[in-house]
Structure formats: structure tokens, C-alpha cells
Amino acid sequence: MPRPIEALVHPQALAHNLGRARAAAPDARIWAVVKANAYGHGIARVFEGLRGADGFALLDLAEAELLRSLDWRGPILLLEGAFEPRDLELCSRLNLWHVVHCQQQVDWLAAHKTQQPHRVFLKMNSGMNRLGFTPAAFRSAWVRLNALPQVDEISLMTHFSDADGARGVDHQLTTFAAATHDLPGERSLSNSAAILRHGINEAIRNDWVRAGIMSYGSAPDFPAHDIHHWGLQPTMTLRSRLIATQQLQPGDTVGYGSSYRAREAQRIGIVACGYADGYPRHAGTDTPVLVNGVRTGTVGRVSMDMLAVDLTPVPQADVGSEVTLWGRGPALDGRPAVLAIDDVARAAGTIGYELMCAVAPRVPMRCLD
Ligand SMILES: Cc1ncc(COP(=O)(O)O)c(C=O)c1O
């Protein structure tokens, strides 16, 4: 028998979350952002759930090829554009739309031989200082692109640094609007946090929104808001089983470094899940976990293949009991138990994005609704 750990991807929850993006941005078309192998879920596994999107946005050319092999004929956008001139050949062959964020990419396009003019998204650095032309250089990049026979339609794009927080989007919007107000073309501005928090901002003209993390059942502005607030459902469950139990006496310690010491008699369970499965090693004692659907916490340090959980709230648990590390647990009193990935991430000092991307290759993953 293989180790009892597995990860489940929930297609109906993906479709539900996509519906939340549609409801929040009803006039926009939606890019389902599937970079990083669909935020760790697997592009092929999320395809059915997200195929109601208007297009898929990603970075990796191999991932774009995979989508075409799944027979997706709609738009695909390369969010970082070409990494070298040769990539443009694949864009021509597979009809990939691509971001143009720097002068070199314009030069490569100018030298590219193609019968098929490319749809490009010209990216502005409106304050994030990651990718994009400065507002001052944006117009001349647009003029140059517009004169190229290799270029078809030019859309305008930027990315917000603080859509999830107090600073918000206004400072970048003002910069973007000032530099683009008289340029034609569709606009693509919002990520998940902007879709949910700034969706009704009249100043945002958004022809294409880019829904990433919200599609995967994580709140982009957690802990200010959680998935229940935004009506999102978990799309990934990481689950395993108890492979042993231990009865602790007062003063007994648990795991490496003896970082946890029992104050009273306590029963704990040992779970087949560790940091080599992608569970965060920095998750300290009391990181939430479900045993048989009942919420409890971890105890002691996470080791490579195992972690320990407190069985006090679930005394009937024993070897073989189901443990939900995040996602959907077994139903309790007819209601499905849910442990949001954001709750686990916070206890480990990280974000849901990182946990879902980090599930290790040794963990089998499959779709289940
Ligand atoms: C350019 C761009 N657009 C959209 C997204 C999606 O962001 P989120 O997952 O926060 O919705 C990302 C992700 O980092 C991105 O880099």
C-alpha cells in the first residue's frame, strides 16, 4: 500500500470560483491565470473546471503547448512574453498572445519573420517596478509597435502592487490613465485582489481581468477577508491518515528539538505528511488541521515525512483516521468541514499561494468532486 497521503483537485470548486470572478467583473473577459502549473494544481487537472474562462494566462511556453494539446483554441497570453527571439516562432505557430514589457522584446518582434501578426499586451510599469515600460517610455513603445507589420492589435496592461492592502490601486491607476488616456486598445489591469476589492471602481476600465489566486480558493487579502467572505471554495485538498498514536504523560516531549512538552496527559496522532510532501516546516504547534473533520492543531516540529496532531478534541480517532491538512474534510453533521489553506499558511508565516505551489511531486494528485 502506498503512503496514505494524496492531493485532490476539485473541478466544480474551480468553476464556482471562476463564477465569483465573473460576478465581480461582469463586463470584463476573464483570463484564468494558470501559471506555475495552475498554482500547483496541474494545468490538465484544472482545465475542465476553468474552461469557462475567456482565455488562459501563463508564463511557460511548455504550459501553453500543453493547453493547445488539450484542444484549447481560445486566447492564451504569455504574461512575461518571449524570453528569447525563438519563442516568437512558437507564438506564431500556436497563436499565442504575448506581453511586451521591454525594449528587447520590441526589437525581437521587429526582426521576427511571420505571416501571422501577433496580438500583444504592452505592459506599463506603473509603480510595481518589476516588468514594464515606464510611463514616459510607454507611448514611444506603443508607436514603434504600432508601426510593425508583425503586430496586430495592441492591448494595454499594468499590474497592481497593493490591490490587497491599504495603499490600494489609485496611485497606479492615476499614472496608467495619464499615460494612456488617448491610446486605443483593450485594457487589462486587475488581479484577484483588484477584482474583488476594486471591481466597482469606475476609474478602472478593464476589458480583461486576470483571476489567479481567487480561482484556487484562497482569499487574496487574507486575513482582512477570508474565503467565506468572498464566497470562494477550496480547490485543493491535501489529506492523509494517522499512522500511529502516542499517549503522552505530563512532561513528555514531541519530535525533533523537543519543542513541544505536554502539560498534562494527552493523546496525539502521527500523520503521514511532512515537509518532503510540501507541508510547511515552519508551521508551529497549533497550526490548524482536521482529524475526521474535527478541527485540532499540530504539536511539535514538522519532520520530513511526519507530523503530530493533538487528538484531545477527537478522542475516537485512531490509526487510519482521515487527516485534512487543508481543503475539504469529511462531512460533520451533514456539513462539509473546510480548512482554508489561508489558515494553515498564516500559521506557517506564508501565504496560500506558496503552499499550493509547493505540494511535492511525490504526493499523488487527482481530480475529485
Ligand atoms: C501579471 C500578473 N497578472 C495576474 C496575476 C494573478 O494574480 P493573483 O493570483 O493575485 O490573482 C499575476 C500573479 O502574480 C501576475 O503576475
Side-chain angles (χ1 to χ4, degrees):
M1 185 185 163
R3 284 175 77 232
I5 189 164
E6 64 176 349
L8 305 171
V9 171
H10 310 305
Q12 284 177 15
L14 288 157
H16 167 89
N17 295 339
L18 187 65
R20 299 295 304 143
R22 282 226 183 273
D27 300 327
R29 273 163 291 164
I30 299 185
W31 291 114
V33 181
V34 292
K35 65 195 176 100
N37 199 22
Y39 289 49
H41 291 61
I43 296 212
R45 280 183 287 267
V46 302
F47 182 61
E48 276 312 311
L50 295 180
R51 71 182 309 162
D54 300 290
F56 289 92
L58 41 72
L59 312 180
D60 199 308
L61 281 90
E63 293 181 342
E65 282 186 291
L66 174 60
L67 269 173
R68 287 288 183 239
S69 77
L70 294 170
D71 220 17
W72 173 255
R73 294 173 188 202
I76 295 178
L77 176 65
L78 297 178
L79 285 167
E80 293 180 357
F83 298 104
E84 58 173 339
R86 229 174 28 165
D87 295 346
L88 296 174
E89 291 163 23
L90 197 74
C91 293
S92 294
R93 189 152 54 79
L94 298 182
N95 186 21
L96 307 179
W97 302 2
H98 52 99
V99 165
V100 173
H101 64 76
C102 64
Q103 204 55 55
Q104 287 84 348
Q105 290 180 331
V106 182
D107 296 341
W108 298 342
L109 256 175
H112 178 54
K113 293 189 176 30
T114 181
Q115 311 292 332
Q116 173 82 43
H118 291 195
R119 169 85 181 257
V120 297
F121 279 59
L122 182 61
K123 185 162 187 179
M124 183 190 294
N125 169 12
S126 59
M128 179 128 174
N129 286 309
R130 223 169 47 166
L131 299 182
F133 290 89
T134 61
F138 195 75
R139 181 169 303 264
S140 60
W142 186 90
V143 168
R144 200 175 156 215
L145 275 180
N146 194 42
L148 293 181
Q150 292 89 340
V151 172
D152 176 21
E153 208 177 315
I154 306 173
S155 300
L156 315 181
M157 170 177 169
T158 197
H159 192 50
F160 296 128
S161 55
D162 292 83
D164 57 334
R167 196 170 179 213
V169 297
D170 289 350
H171 61 295
Q172 286 182 266
L173 263 183
T174 307
T175 304
F176 183 80
T180 60
H181 67 278
D182 57 348
L183 291 178
E186 295 189 330
R187 271 63 170 163
S188 178
L189 305 179
S190 296
N191 59 357
S192 298
I195 293 169
L196 292 172
R197 290 169 65 100
H198 306 285
I200 47 170
N201 186 332
E202 292 297 321
I204 304 188
R205 176 180 155 200
N206 243 328
D207 301 291
W208 289 88
V209 295
R210 306 188 299 272
I213 195 69
M214 67 175 294
S215 312
Y216 303 101
S218 167
D221 59 350
F222 187 83
H225 298 108
D226 62 12
I227 55 170
H228 305 292
H229 175 86
W230 294 122
L232 302 172
Q233 297 176 0
T235 59
M236 180 194 280
T237 294
L238 180 64
R239 71 181 184 187
S240 185
R241 294 191 181 276
L242 296 185
I243 55 170
T245 63
Q246 302 294 341
Q247 180 62 53
L248 304 181
Q249 301 307 323
D252 283 351
T253 62
V254 178
Y256 288 119
S258 301
S259 68
Y260 180 79
R261 184 179 297 273
R263 282 201 221 103
E264 51 204 32
Q266 180 183 7
R267 193 161 163 265
I268 61 166
I270 306 301
V271 186
C273 177
Y275 60 78
D277 299 300
Y279 194 86
R281 183 177 172 276
H282 293 291
T285 290
D286 271 341
T287 299
V289 60
L290 308 179
V291 177
N292 288 342
V294 176
R295 196 171 170 116
T296 180
T298 62
V299 290
R301 275 195 203 154
V302 174
S303 51
M304 182 184 282
D305 311 303
M306 285 175 270
L307 56 84
V309 293
D310 180 19
L311 295 182
T312 310
V314 51
Q316 72 283 13
D318 213 333
V319 170
S321 290
E322 184 169 329
V323 179
T324 310
L325 287 316
W326 59 72
R328 273 189 211 160
L332 268 186
D333 305 327
R335 295 178 49 204
V338 168
L339 175 56
I341 197 168
D342 299 324
D343 289 338
V344 181
R346 179 160 61 160
T350 184
I351 51 178
Y353 295 74
E354 188 180 11
L355 294 191
M356 57 181 78
C357 288
V359 174
R362 80 173 185 178
V363 177
M365 199 181 281
R366 65 189 168 101
C367 288
L368 185 74
D369 267 320

